[in-house]
Amino acid sequence: MENPQEKITKISQELRCNPTSLSVAEYLDQHDEIKHLRQDFLIPKISELPPSDLSLVDGSEDCVYFVGNSLGLQPKNAKKYIDEELDKWAKMGSHGHLEGSRPWVWAEENLEDLMAKIVGAKPEEVALMNGLTVNLHLLMLSFYKPTPKRHKIILEDRAFPSDHYAVESQIRLRGFNPDDSMLLIKPREGEEMIRTEDIVSVIEREGDSVAVVMLGAVQYYTGQFFNMEAITKAGHAKGCFVGFDCAHAVGNVELRLHDWNVDFACWCTYKYVNSGAGGLAGAFIHQTHSHTVRPALVGWWGHDLKTRFQMNNELELQSGVNGFRLSNQPILLVCPLQASLEIFNKTSMKELRKKSVLLTGYLEYLIKHYYSKDESNPDKPFIKIISPSEPEERGCQLSLCFSLPIRDVFKELEKRGIACDMREPDVLRVAPVPLYNTFTDVHRFITVLGSALSACNKLQES
């Protein structure tokens, strides 16, 4: 993986300018091979953002949208596709189930090939259905089969609340106590990241009592990208099933769920996959389990499509993850997901990841240049990056801690047209997304950040 700092230094030397110069950002944008993808999205205008203060803005119209890790931008075709289905419904009524470019009866199945490419799976290993937590529960019901000797679930400390609650409730559902059966892995004292060797060590030590290892692929708070291949291998060596919540990984980092032999995974699609708030979620079950792991709960949509409408109530369950379907998918959620996946299909995760590493590396470089802690000037505001410094250990997100109150920083950035994400207790999550963010966005963010920190400093002094 090319070192971003070395590339930035090399470019600045070629341009004969300072590495922090806007010229470097403009050069990187000019040579960005996937810059055209930005035009497929709607970029919010600063004037349309409720907290903005136009008197503090530098004249730019588009906001700097660094919150795709929470909600991705709207693809331009999303409204078109939704309007098409509303029009079809109005004109054709129930005939829309079988007619048109996306017949309602199997509309989501037309997208699973595209989704499979993004997660590194075979199409038959992927289903688009439900919401993330519903899918996690459905998968856990089948993969978590605790016994008195093997009943623990390994989860990272400070996992996303929905994962934590789902695991707790699955343990209680089987008659066990989360205090005994939930094994939380924490970072070492004084560290933010959970080392891979520590995860593997816990699996090796506790594995005989562990039923499932269930981690977030990319940790939402720190942005750490776990070594999924190594963790899966360690879990399998101890006889554990291994699954991942890929909500912050899908569309963000290169995944190879099939090749890594991950047993199961689930994800939402409204973050980096841009399907809109509450969009249709995804699930994965490795093909090795296609005939051995069955759903604990079944619905009509898990029945084979060829005979589904014979209505004889004799279940012909589809194999693998497709048998986990419960009901037909809301067509109005299929539409924006299709619009986004078509954009992904114009490139590859390899190309997106290549740009992402440089884009986030550029952000890291500028933050360290301007806002590192200065021991000789203790009054100067500083920023600590708690995300991993190695590009292969993170996605596009940098999690930032400030020497100034985080809420003040967040508010001052919002006023100036910067959309990012604050998480309690003290982290600002900043995510330059390669599909639609630019290097100029990064440079502008750094410039605006200086103004925001100055305003916060004055608040502290007053």
Side-chain angles (χ1 to χ4, degrees), residues 8 12-13 15-24 365 369-370:
I8 292 163
S12 67
Q13 290 172 346
L15 297 175
R16 297 183 180 180
C17 67
N18 192 295
T20 62
S21 167
L22 177 60
S23 298
V24 173
Y365 179 87
H369 177 83
Y370 286 110

Side-chain angles (χ1 to χ4, degrees), residues 205-216:
R205 185 178 68 249
E206 303 282 349
D208 292 338
S209 64
V210 172
V212 173
V213 178
M214 217 303 293
L215 303 173

Side-chain angles (χ1 to χ4, degrees), residues 146-271:
T147 66
K149 290 186 178 180
R150 190 185 283 270
H151 57 89
K152 294 179 182 178
I153 299 176
I154 291 179
L155 190 69
E156 82 263 27
D157 188 45
R158 293 195 68 174
F160 198 85
S162 59
D163 289 357
H164 191 101
Y165 300 155
V167 168
E168 275 191 338
S169 61
Q170 288 286 333
I171 289 170
R172 289 195 178 97
L173 184 65
R174 307 310 172 87
F176 290 85
N177 187 333
D179 292 339
D180 302 322
S181 299
M182 182 183 281
L183 185 55
L184 300 179
I185 301 181
K186 299 182 180 182
R188 297 184 185 184
E189 187 70 29
E191 296 184 359
E192 301 289 346
M193 304 303 113
I194 305 174
R195 300 188 188 188
T196 301
E197 59 263 34
D198 291 348
I199 298 173
V200 171
S201 176
V202 170
I203 294 171
E204 290 175 345
R205 185 178 68 249
E206 303 282 349
D208 292 338
S209 64
V210 172
V212 173
V213 178
M214 217 303 293
L215 303 173
V218 170
Q219 218 285 331
Y220 86 98
Y221 191 76
T222 65
Q224 180 181 5
F225 179 24
F226 290 119
N227 188 330
M228 298 168 68
E229 184 176 20
I231 292 166
T232 302
K233 186 176 180 181
H236 287 170
K238 298 297 290 188
C240 313
F241 285 125
V242 182
F244 292 92
D245 174 353
C246 295
H248 289 267
V250 171
N252 178 18
V253 294
E254 284 188 88
L255 296 173
R256 291 190 282 277
L257 297 182
H258 176 84
D259 291 346
W260 294 338
N261 292 310
V262 171
D263 293 303
F264 68 92
C266 51
W267 56 90
C268 59
T269 61
Y270 51 79
K271 301 180 189 297

